[in-house]
Amino acid sequence: FDVASMGWYEIGANYAYVLKNEIWYNLSAGINVRYLRGYAGAQITGRAVDYTLEDENHLNIRNLDAGIAAAIPIDYNSNEFPGPGKTFKGSGAAVDLGVTFRQYRSPDVRSEPRHYCQYDYHDYLFRVGFSLLDLGGIGFRENIQVHSYDNVSADWMEVDSLDFRNLNDLT
C-alpha cells in the first residue's frame, strides 16, 4: 500500500487570450501559474508485512518491509509547533495550460465590443477543450524524517500499554 498526504497553499496568476476569432469558430488558450508553499507532507509505503496479534497485548511481527517519510511543522521530540515564520517546510511551483475550440452554429457577424462584459452569448454547435492540470510539485527541505524498515521483526509484549511521548518515540 501507499498512502500520501500533503497540505499547502498557493498563490497564482492566470492569463487567457483569444488566438483566433473567425465568423464560424473561435480558438482561445489560457495559462495559470502558481507558487506553492508546503505546510506538511507525509508518505507511508508498505511493501510487505507478516504479523500475528496473539492477543490484545501481544503483537508478533515476523517481517516488515515499509517506509515512512514526513516533513511536518512540529518538533519531533516535544510535539510542539514552531514559532512564527517556521511553519512552511517546502515550496514549489505548478502550471495549468488549456486550449478551447468553439464551432459556432451560425456565422458570428456582430462587431467587436469595446469591453468583455459587452459580449453577447453566441450559440455554438460544439466546443472542445484540452488541458494539462497541476504540472509541477513541491519539494520539502526542512524538518524531514525518513525511516526505512527492511525485513524488520519484533515481538512486542504489552503492546497495548506502550506510551509514546513524542513522534520520535513512535518511530
Side-chain angles (χ1 to χ4, degrees), residues 14-139:
N14 53 60
Y15 181 76
Y17 186 74
V18 175
L19 300 171
K20 200 102 167 147
N21 194 19
E22 299 293 329
I23 63 170
W24 284 101
Y25 69 92
N26 173 285
L27 181 65
S28 57
I31 185 170
N32 183 21
V33 179
R34 299 181 313 280
Y35 173 67
L36 312 173
R37 288 295 308 247
Y39 174 72
Q43 179 180 2
I44 301 172
T45 301
R47 295 176 290 280
V49 61
D50 182 13
Y51 70 95
T52 303
L53 186 59
E54 306 290 343
D55 55 45
E56 70 253 6
N57 65 0
H58 181 197
L59 176 63
N60 183 5
I61 299 175
R62 289 180 289 283
N63 181 29
L64 173 64
D65 287 327
I68 300 171
I72 57 178
I74 195 169
D75 183 316
Y76 295 111
N77 289 317
S78 67
N79 290 346
E80 293 181 10
F81 287 95
K86 300 178 182 179
T87 303
F88 295 96
K89 304 303 176 193
S91 63
V95 64
D96 304 326
L97 304 169
V99 175
T100 302
F101 176 82
R102 199 170 21 183
Q103 178 70 49
Y104 295 129
R105 229 178 245 291
S106 60
D108 183 16
V109 293
R110 69 186 188 303
S111 63
E112 289 291 320
R114 293 181 54 198
H115 303 285
Y116 283 111
C117 61
Q118 293 175 327
Y119 275 100
D120 291 328
Y121 174 77
H122 190 71
D123 197 18
Y124 56 86
L125 185 61
F126 66 89
R127 179 172 64 182
V128 177
F130 298 97
S131 57
L132 295 171
L133 303 176
D134 291 332
L135 300 171
I138 295 177

Side-chain angles (χ1 to χ4, degrees), residues 68-72 76-77 142-147 167-168 171:
I68 300 171
I72 57 178
Y76 295 111
N77 289 317
E142 297 178 38
N143 210 30
I144 301 167
Q145 284 203 359
V146 178
H147 301 276
L167 288 174
N168 278 338
T171 55

